[in-house]
Amino acid sequence: MSASRRSGTTDELGPEGPEPEREGPDGSDLLAALLDGMDAALCALDAHGVVTHWNREAERILGWTAAEAVGRHGFAGWAVRSADAEDVEARLMSAMDAPGRQVHEFALVTKDGGRVLVRTQSAAVRGPDGKPAGVYCAFSEVHAQIDLERSIALSEALLEDASWGVVLVDADLRPAVVNAHAARALGAGRTSVLGRPLGELLAQGVEEVESALTHVLAEGAPPAPAEVWVSVRTPEGERRRCWRSGFVRLSSPLAEEPVPLGVGWMFQDVTEARQGEQEASLLRFRAQQLHRAARAAAECEDPAEAVTVHLDFALAGFADHALIDRVAEGAAEGAEPVRLVRIAATPSGAPGPSRLTGRAGLPVRYGEGHPALRCVERAGTVRAGAGSVDAEKARAWAESRQWPADTVHALCTVLRSRGRTLGAVTFLRGSGRHAFERADTMYAEDVAVRIATALDLAGLIAADDA
């Protein structure tokens, strides 16, 4: 017995007339194959309430075969309890007179006597004359339907209302679906990012993101979220952001073997938290360096040696080179022009401890407007940089200021003690580091206070000895 009733007369749910001769399966075989291949259970009743169709999914859920179900009048006594049969059949057959589909929940009886709560969708089947000829009823177990509805609701919520970014990336690593939060994070509209390479959306961090997506396509989801630093192109310019990202591989549920459809990429912006952690860690390190420098300098018999100790401890993780220039002896406070003598410097070649220099007392050949001179004149801090120029111009810029050739960023801080300007300390960075910021200025000024104190003490001792 197939899923549909076969007889010498035409079924009430189909048109009358002889079937045309053709090769291959006839209409009833094709209908049976279609019904048996459905994922949902399906049955149909004619206008008199007789079961005309019953597919394999209905057999799986209730246990009744098509041979046992087709031809029965109603569900009473076999698929529905007798006490419920009248109400169930009335609600199903009412679909013949109602527009559209009707949704109901019934408790059906399995062949082994159990009960299954199902959710049904029923609608009228029209005959050739347009009049109702019966009803069809598609049903599934309520828990399966609820699971499906939850999955659909979750997908819609993630792609509409989620408070984190969700991007569905296809197998070519191009965005296929983007939620509103992700579109804002990428600095573009939800539709304008679709199908575009990630390199057009991200200025930096593209390689890391594409590598993660490729890994997920090949190996599956990673065991833990990953943090990726990216730079996003926006109308206001590039913004550097840290995204805490999770990845899942998307596979087709309809294929016999898993076929990757792409990757689900979910991320949350944690830039402020990570920057706060980095700043706190940097502050702790610098505070520890100041503490170590103070303890090491306290063991120096010569205050001039303590000057280089403070300089060496300050240099770690802060700058590539450092210089200390002292106002030339005999120069009056505020005298013009200011003359500076180099008394200490870090090696410009191989790394090593700072060296005391300037015993000859010859002034450094600083040109007018040099940052160190302006620092002393203003009794404040001066920052300088080569800017966005090529390597040759940056080298010429550094050498013209008597700095190592690889310098591109400079920070000059005044040395003051007992209300007097003693000189300036200059910290230098190469192209591998970013420019000095406000937090760097505060740290350099803390170091300068300690260097100035040691330098002032060294001058007092030298004066006493003289």
Side-chain angles (χ1 to χ4, degrees), residues 184-188 232-240:
R184 289 193 299 270
L186 291 169
V232 183
R233 292 190 177 96
T234 66
E236 296 78 20
E238 294 184 4
R239 293 185 306 160
R240 185 159 174 79

Side-chain angles (χ1 to χ4, degrees), residues 62-267:
L62 297 179
W64 301 98
T65 65
E68 295 170 321
V70 173
R72 289 180 180 264
H73 189 283
F75 297 138
W78 62 287
V80 176
R81 291 195 313 171
S82 299
D84 301 331
E86 183 178 351
D87 176 63
V88 170
E89 292 178 21
R91 292 164 69 181
L92 285 178
M93 299 307 293
S94 66
M96 292 180 61
D97 303 319
R101 293 178 298 175
Q102 291 188 330
V103 179
H104 303 285
E105 289 187 2
F106 303 126
L108 300 183
V109 179
T110 63
K111 187 175 182 179
D112 58 8
R115 300 183 72 193
V116 178
L117 183 63
V118 300
R119 179 172 295 179
T120 66
Q121 294 186 29
S122 55
V125 178
R126 307 276 173 187
D129 56 359
K131 295 181 180 180
V135 297
Y136 79 84
C137 173
F139 63 91
S140 60
E141 297 176 77
V142 166
H143 70 82
Q145 182 71 17
I146 292 176
D147 288 344
L148 175 61
E149 291 179 1
R150 285 196 187 107
S151 298
I152 296 174
L154 175 61
S155 299
E156 292 180 349
L158 286 175
L159 296 176
E160 293 294 337
D161 306 322
S163 59
W164 55 87
V166 179
V167 181
L168 303 187
V169 183
D170 62 22
D172 294 328
L173 307 185
R174 296 172 183 253
V177 182
V178 178
N179 75 343
H181 190 283
R184 289 193 299 270
L186 291 169
R190 293 186 63 179
T191 57
S192 63
V193 303
L194 302 183
R196 294 171 57 185
L198 292 175
E200 296 182 5
L201 304 173
L202 302 176
Q204 296 180 3
V206 180
E207 295 80 4
E208 289 79 1
V209 174
E210 290 184 343
S211 176
L213 295 173
T214 303
H215 174 81
V216 173
L217 281 173
E219 305 293 337
E227 292 184 359
V228 182
W229 282 93
V230 300
S231 291
V232 183
R233 292 190 177 96
T234 66
E236 296 78 20
E238 294 184 4
R239 293 185 306 160
R240 185 159 174 79
R241 315 302 297 170
C242 181
W243 290 345
R244 184 173 177 82
S245 304
F247 303 91
V248 291
R249 181 167 59 182
L250 306 178
S251 301
S252 173
L254 303 179
E256 293 183 4
E257 297 182 358
V259 177
L261 297 178
V263 176
W265 174 23
M266 291 150 284
F267 63 86

Side-chain angles (χ1 to χ4, degrees), residues 20-98:
E21 294 183 0
R22 57 187 178 278
E23 296 182 1
D26 59 21
S28 61
D29 289 336
L30 180 59
L31 177 61
L34 290 173
L35 295 179
D36 286 342
M38 294 178 61
D39 291 331
L42 185 136
C43 68
L45 298 89
D46 62 17
H48 305 290
V50 177
V51 178
T52 60
H53 297 79
W54 190 268
N55 72 349
R56 291 187 185 276
E57 184 64 13
E59 177 181 342
R60 186 193 68 80
I61 293 176
L62 297 179
W64 301 98
T65 65
E68 295 170 321
V70 173
R72 289 180 180 264
H73 189 283
F75 297 138
W78 62 287
V80 176
R81 291 195 313 171
S82 299
D84 301 331
E86 183 178 351
D87 176 63
V88 170
E89 292 178 21
R91 292 164 69 181
L92 285 178
M93 299 307 293
S94 66
M96 292 180 61
D97 303 319

